[in-house]
Amino acid sequence: MANPVILSVDDDPVVSRAVARDIRRRYGDRYRVVRASSGPEALDALREVKLRGEQVALLLADHRMPEMTGVEFLEAAMDIFPAARRVLLTAYADTDAAIEAINVVDLDHYLLKPWHPPEEKLYPVVDGLLEAWAVTPDAASAEIRVVGHRWSAPSFKVRDFLARNLVPYRWMLSDDPEGIRLLDAAGATEADVPLVVTAEGKALIAPSETELAALAGLTVVPASDFYDLVVIGGGPAGLGSAVYGASEGLRTVLVERRATGGQAGQSSRIENYLGFPDGVSGAQLTDRARRQAVKFGAELLSAREVVGLSEAGGARLLRFGDGTEIAAHTVVLATGVSYRVLDAPGLADFTGRGVFYGAAATEAPSCVEQDVYIVGGANSAGQAAVHFSRYASRVHLLIRGADLTASMSRYLIDQLERIDRITVHPHTAVVGAAGEDHLQRLTLCDTRTGEARSVDTSWLFIFIGAEPRTDWLDGVLVRDGRGFIVTGPDLLAGGRRPAGWSLSRDPYHLETSVPGVFAAGDVRAESVKRVASAVGEGAMAVSLVHRYLEAQ
């Protein structure tokens, strides 16, 4: 593997040479130092590095540049190399801007110019950042190459899994020369895609998510068979429970069937989360929470689905889909919700081939200069519309109601109104889809008049409603009519505790109808569907776990 890259960008050639010189002097034997004179030039360099399958460890950007500021460059660079550490070079007069940038681009550090002597003011900072980068999963994992067909649903599933787990990979079409060479080397044909190849040359045809997770260096096998706390679900509530549980000394394992972050992790920009006035992407927030949980000693299991929960004396048994089990004193259910399936003729045939549930960030660059249609009127749909407007020629937001005020935050409505490329279509529903190997046309209907019309598009992203993933708990826990888990005082009917309740006390606030099993976040009945409240409930669940354990 080639040496990782350290990239510096500064429009002042004197400063640019000085940065590169000082960095190369200390790190040139282990890292390849690249310098650029503008933000656009640096982004082109990063794209070339990405295509070669190399890693970027550190980005150093001057703040004041004419074409693109340092903050703007770092924000764009995060989409290409999200794990790279980020440093802003500023003059004394720019320190306020640098501090503000900490929230905008999750800045790791800012350096004042001049930084001499580098032994005191530059190298200690860079040493720490490179050490932190070296232990991240992105840096530790070898390059993964994925060969697939543009409109192959299984190929999209592989790419989406890797992207949502922040695993770097290189995507190649099955009819490109390099893709053909890899298929031939693996003894496969274009009909066998997706093909996944590791840097060591191991090839898998249509691997399962568990196989993918193992290839990417994610943990798939628990280190123990018994824990103090098992957290099921890796969204904001689950990550909150894992952080607080592990930090307070509980032997904690978090189990996630797909990727940490949940629906929030797919958000391109969360702007109403406390402490981030300029917003933060779901991937950034998720990555920071995941690293925080691991730092405190939590174990994270990926691509493992829990399909059963039962009591065994004072323990709670959890059964995985492969039949194996783990046990724990306590459990926090934080499985979140899924987008509802849009029921219209033809849509199911194109899922993963032009029809996507959620933001599907891997597809955004492919939408350049095309029309994109989004179904949904809540914040997730609005955030997706803003994100896709950076690529598409026009984004069409389809809603059944008269306007967005009933379901979307005011700040987001105002933002949509300021973007010329976004058009909101009220009283509009998707009633059909057609195409050959992928989506090519949609049939839209005016819900007031019943008038139908056809539009040409290859892109439909759906954000409608929320369904809890709790069927596996049927007959085990009390759920409401929609499948959400009932907790605390809501379990008391006429002052009576739920059937089968074995303790002399009432259920705690977030406790389910099984003692020692708690629910947090969107999966809980009557919860507030916001990232901040989910994190808060995850933390609160751990405090109740402690109370439960102390009473045993």
Side-chain angles (χ1 to χ4, degrees), residues 209-295:
E209 289 186 348
T210 301
E211 290 173 320
L212 272 178
L215 279 179
L218 303 174
T219 302
V220 295
V221 178
S224 175
D225 56 5
F226 196 91
Y227 296 86
D228 294 320
L229 171 64
V230 175
V231 181
I232 305 175
L239 287 167
S241 289
V243 167
Y244 284 95
S247 67
E248 294 172 11
L250 298 177
R251 290 171 297 164
T252 303
V253 60
L254 182 149
V255 183
E256 170 55 47
R257 71 185 185 98
R258 290 219 63 201
T260 52
Q263 287 189 6
Q266 294 181 279
S267 176
S268 58
R269 180 69 61 177
I270 302 169
E271 297 191 67
N272 58 351
Y273 189 68
L274 184 67
F276 293 88
D278 295 295
V280 59
S281 77
Q284 294 164 18
L285 190 63
T286 296
D287 181 55
R288 295 179 74 174
R290 178 186 56 77
R291 287 191 280 122
Q292 194 174 17
V294 171
K295 182 188 78 171

Side-chain angles (χ1 to χ4, degrees), residues 119-184:
E119 289 76 12
E120 295 180 11
K121 298 184 177 180
L122 178 64
Y123 296 151
V125 171
V126 175
D127 285 345
L129 294 176
L130 291 178
E131 288 173 7
W133 175 83
V135 299
T136 61
D138 282 355
S141 62
E143 177 196 31
I144 291 177
R145 288 163 289 174
V146 180
V147 182
H149 187 272
R150 177 70 196 83
W151 297 111
S152 159
S155 297
F156 164 74
K157 189 176 180 180
V158 167
R159 294 167 60 211
D160 187 58
F161 179 85
L162 294 175
R164 291 187 61 187
N165 281 284
L166 304 179
V167 177
Y169 69 92
R170 185 177 177 189
W171 164 247
M172 286 167 280
L173 294 173
S174 55
D175 55 358
D176 283 347
E178 189 173 358
I180 293 171
R181 285 194 293 269
L182 282 175
L183 287 171
D184 290 341

Side-chain angles (χ1 to χ4, degrees), residues 5 15 91 115 185 256 274 309 365 382 417 436 446 494:
V5 170
V15 176
W115 56 85
E256 170 55 47
L274 184 67
L309 167 67
E417 291 174 349
E436 296 179 6
D446 187 313

Side-chain angles (χ1 to χ4, degrees), residues 317-387:
L317 294 180
L318 297 161
R319 188 175 74 257
F320 294 119
D322 61 2
T324 60
E325 293 182 336
I326 58 173
H329 290 303
T330 58
V331 175
V332 172
L333 300 170
T335 51
V337 293
S338 299
Y339 292 115
R340 289 207 313 269
V341 174
L342 182 58
D343 187 16
L347 284 181
D349 298 333
F350 299 113
T351 301
R353 297 187 296 139
V355 176
F356 306 94
Y357 288 87
T362 55
E363 303 304 299
S366 300
C367 299
V368 173
E369 298 306 317
Q370 300 186 47
D371 277 18
V372 168
Y373 285 78
I374 295 174
V375 178
N379 281 9
S380 55
Q383 290 159 354
V386 172
H387 179 62

